Amino acid sequence: MANYTVILAGSGTTSRANVEALMSDHYYAHGEQGTLILAFNSKPSQGQVWAAQQAKQQNIDIIVYANAGAFLDSISHATMVETARPIDESIKAFKESEVFILWSDDDPDCADVLSVCKTYGLASYDLCDGLAKITPADEIKRSSVPVMPESEASTDKTPEEVEEDEEEEEEEELEDEEVEEGEEEEYDDAVDDIYAAIDGFIDLIVNRLAKKLKEDK
């Protein structure tokens, strides 16, 4: 039989028995010359891990498309392809593949897979639902990722901005110094008042003592 590839993406919930049964049936029907492609961003879903373990047991080659530095969990034996767009690049590289999705309404990757599959005319199947064929909506859209405005995202500053920042820092330092000096002056004044009070109290005692001594004489 000819070589074939299966792309698996998504993080939908299913059982290990379901994943192993469906993938085994697929391998049995298509032969041993298969390759399993896993596409994810930073970490494989539980279903992808089970599928990879099953593929290893059946001597199916495994290729991972993921972001740089992705955690491979227990599939470190797979061939790694680092990319910022795992779903797009994996489907683009294997346009003749069958695409299986661990479908979840809460996983934006699932909608992204459908969108890319539609672009390349590929059918996709839900591994969480007995490999039922998924029919994408006519106007399916990619998930949107918030992008920080360039003015906020850029860390580079113009010379004028740098100069303004330095002036602001100098003004803040001067204000801090003035506050410290004011606090020191207030402290010195309070100490002087205390000493003056003590001196007055001592003079009072001395005068009374002298007066008492005169009366005793």
Side-chain angles (χ1 to χ4, degrees):
M1 292 186 180
N3 293 342
Y4 64 94
T5 54
V6 176
I7 296 175
L8 178 58
S11 60
T13 302
T14 187
S15 67
R16 180 174 191 137
N18 178 65
V19 171
E20 292 181 348
L22 292 173
M23 297 304 293
S24 292
D25 289 346
H26 189 79
Y27 299 144
Y28 180 79
H30 292 77
E32 298 179 354
Q33 304 301 315
T35 300
L36 175 64
I37 314 295
L38 301 179
F40 55 85
N41 291 316
S42 59
K43 183 179 179 180
S45 65
Q46 183 61 71
Q48 287 178 311
V49 172
W50 289 335
Q53 293 171 344
Q54 176 72 5
K56 183 180 180 182
Q57 291 176 4
Q58 298 194 218
N59 297 317
I60 301 296
D61 293 333
I62 305 171
I63 301 175
V64 170
Y65 278 75
N67 297 157
F71 176 62
L72 298 184
D73 201 6
S74 58
I75 55 176
S76 57
H77 57 281
T79 300
M80 178 71 175
V81 178
E82 294 185 347
T83 173
R85 305 177 69 188
I87 292 171
D88 297 72
E89 294 301 325
S90 60
I91 295 176
K92 181 179 178 181
F94 296 92
K95 297 187 182 72
E96 305 299 323
S97 299
E98 291 186 277
V99 181
F100 294 171
I101 303 175
L102 290 155
W103 186 267
S104 170
D105 292 336
D106 299 325
D107 184 0
D109 283 353
C110 294
D112 290 349
V113 174
L114 279 183
S115 177
V116 179
C117 284
K118 186 175 181 180
T119 299
Y120 290 103
L122 294 177
S124 56
Y125 305 87
D126 187 357
L127 191 60
C128 296
D129 188 23
L131 289 179
K133 187 174 181 178
I134 304 173
T135 303
D138 292 336
E139 297 181 356
I140 187 168
K141 297 180 180 180
R142 297 291 300 267
S143 60
S144 58
V145 179
V147 178
M148 184 180 294
E150 184 177 351
S151 59
E152 297 180 14
S154 176
T155 56
D156 297 330
K157 295 184 178 181
T158 64
E160 291 78 9
E161 290 175 332
V162 172
E163 185 176 353
E164 288 179 2
D165 289 345
E166 291 177 349
E167 289 177 355
E168 289 179 0
E169 290 178 0
E170 290 178 359
E171 290 177 0
E172 290 177 357
E173 291 177 357
L174 289 174
E175 290 176 359
D176 291 340
E177 290 177 359
E178 290 175 357
V179 170
E180 290 177 358
E181 290 176 358
E183 291 176 348
E184 289 178 358
E185 290 177 359
E186 291 178 0
Y187 176 79
D188 292 341
D189 292 341
V191 171
D192 291 340
D193 291 342
I194 292 173
Y195 283 130
I198 293 173
D199 291 339
F201 182 68
I202 293 174
D203 290 341
L204 178 61
I205 293 176
V206 171
N207 291 334
R208 288 186 178 181
L209 181 59
K211 184 177 180 181
K212 180 67 175 174
L213 290 174
K214 288 181 180 177
E215 292 176 352
D216 291 343
K217 291 180 180 179

